[in-house]
Amino acid sequence: MRAPLREARDASPCISYMGAMYRYTWDHEAERRHRRRNVLHSTLLLGGMVALLSACGWIIAGGNGVLMALLAGSLSLILSPRLSPGLVLRLYRAQPIPRWQLPEVHAVLEAICSAAGMTRVPRLHYVPSRIMNAFAVGNRDDAAIAVTDGMLRRLDLRELAGVLAHEVSHIRNDDTWIMGLADTVSRLTRIMSLLGVLLLAFSLPGLILEGIPVPWLLVALLVFAPTLSALLQLALSRTREFAADLDAARLTGDPVGLASALDKLERQEGMWWETILMPGRRSPDPSLLRTHPHTRERIERLLALQIPIRIPTSPVAILLPWDLPPSRRGWRIRRG
């Protein structure tokens, strides 16, 4: 079977999904602008987290404290146990999808991996949940992508291609490792902060009796460093999502496919009566506390990458085999 999509390399790429044709001119300047922004944000945020950890070490023990903090971070990253993709998939009761069950989806995934320059195609898994979701686990050498029943039944092939490309981008960009590094730095910052506060509590009476001024600004930094590090970690997660969206659009040459999938995902979250009775239910939380960017902002960035030339024909539905296990309500999978 011929690959259903190919990477856009010219000014007016043509993407074919089982006979449905789409033509776009690619806005290369918008792509470069988004890419520069994502790289800069990721570098600054991760650098800020390391700077906070180093500051906590310096407050506790000066230069030696900085070296100790960085050494502890390196050792933790090297020695920390890594969950195998198989274990994570078992936790979600994910089951492998043979190629004969969904040949079109496997062909799309293989074409995306080929465009991404990946020699190994991630294993495709099915999660029996009605919630629309997908996630990737592992690295380039051992990776898997899981898709829920709700997503397979509600997305057409074009939209699912965008979702799969997004997950492949996470794998290719080593986002699992980057977020693991950020989590390690955040945990060490909490430990260093707690240690510094305990040392200060024991030393405070002596400082007061001897008339030594207490550096309250440094104390405040110790107290609030874990919170600041957690906020930077959340911001880094949102930046990596934007980067994965951009790479996914480049791999498929079709930013509208992923934008359409995100729009469906946004509209399908929750029950219909929640949308009617509580129209503002999705936006009570501050943006700083979100692991993912607002869906509207993601869609706007994707649509800014293309200029449509011709309206697409009818979408291609994904025909699911009858022997797939029924979906069940329950746990929610983090969007990846």
Side-chain angles (χ1 to χ4, degrees), residues 115-226:
M118 295 176 58
T119 56
R120 294 193 178 184
V121 179
R123 301 180 302 278
L124 192 61
H125 283 71
Y126 168 85
V127 177
S129 171
R130 297 181 184 178
I131 294 174
M132 292 179 60
N133 227 322
F135 64 93
V137 291
N139 51 42
R140 292 192 181 199
D141 297 326
D142 183 20
I145 296 176
V147 185
T148 63
D149 179 89
M151 183 159 286
L152 286 173
R153 295 185 186 278
R154 292 187 178 99
L155 299 186
D156 59 47
L157 193 59
R158 179 192 187 192
E159 294 163 339
L160 187 62
V163 173
L164 293 176
H166 177 93
E167 301 304 332
V168 168
S169 298
H170 276 313
I171 297 170
R172 183 177 70 162
N173 296 334
D174 293 322
D175 283 340
T176 303
W177 182 85
I178 292 174
M179 294 312 301
L181 173 61
D183 185 64
T184 298
V185 172
S186 184
R187 290 174 185 272
L188 286 174
T189 301
R190 287 198 296 270
I191 294 173
M192 298 292 286
S193 172
L194 178 60
L195 178 61
V197 170
L198 290 176
L199 290 175
L200 178 65
F202 285 114
S203 304
L204 191 58
L207 294 176
I208 295 176
L209 290 176
E210 296 178 9
I212 300 176
V214 179
W216 293 111
L217 287 178
L218 298 182
V219 173
L221 178 60
L222 275 177
V223 172
F224 291 107

Side-chain angles (χ1 to χ4, degrees), residues 179 232-241 291-292 334:
M179 294 312 301
L232 290 175
Q233 185 179 357
L234 292 174
L236 179 63
S237 176
R238 294 192 295 270
T239 298
R240 300 315 302 164
E241 290 300 318
T291 58
H292 283 60
R334 187 184 74 84

Side-chain angles (χ1 to χ4, degrees), residues 90-136:
R90 283 195 294 272
L91 292 175
Y92 288 107
R93 301 179 184 177
Q95 304 171 20
I97 304 177
R99 185 182 181 89
W100 61 266
Q101 282 191 321
L102 295 177
E104 296 90 354
V105 179
H106 275 277
V108 166
L109 180 58
E110 291 168 3
I112 291 171
C113 291
S114 177
M118 295 176 58
T119 56
R120 294 193 178 184
V121 179
R123 301 180 302 278
L124 192 61
H125 283 71
Y126 168 85
V127 177
S129 171
R130 297 181 184 178
I131 294 174
M132 292 179 60
N133 227 322
F135 64 93

Side-chain angles (χ1 to χ4, degrees), residues 296-324:
R296 286 294 112 191
E297 186 176 359
R298 295 174 68 182
I299 292 175
E300 289 172 1
R301 289 198 183 195
L302 286 168
L303 295 182
L305 295 173
Q306 54 80 44
I307 305 171
I309 296 178
R310 185 151 59 109
I311 299 176
T313 60
S314 58
V316 179
I318 301 171
L319 301 179
L320 299 183
W322 288 107
D323 57 346
L324 279 179

Side-chain angles (χ1 to χ4, degrees), residues 30-46:
E31 179 191 2
R32 285 191 291 268
R33 184 169 61 252
H34 290 322
R35 194 175 299 278
R36 286 195 300 266
R37 182 193 303 176
N38 291 335
V39 171
L40 178 61
H41 285 182
S42 296
T43 303
L44 290 177
L45 292 170
L46 194 55

Side-chain angles (χ1 to χ4, degrees), residues 230-283:
L231 291 176
L232 290 175
Q233 185 179 357
L234 292 174
L236 179 63
S237 176
R238 294 192 295 270
T239 298
R240 300 315 302 164
E241 290 300 318
F242 280 132
D245 285 348
L246 176 62
D247 283 348
R250 186 60 181 168
L251 290 174
T252 61
D254 178 24
V256 178
L258 179 56
S260 178
L262 290 172
D263 183 64
K264 279 188 179 180
L265 182 61
E266 179 76 0
R267 288 188 282 109
Q268 289 291 338
E269 282 187 342
M271 303 298 291
W272 62 270
W273 56 268
E274 290 179 324
T275 306
I276 297 175
L277 299 179
M278 296 178 289
R281 63 188 169 83
R282 295 195 192 104
S283 55

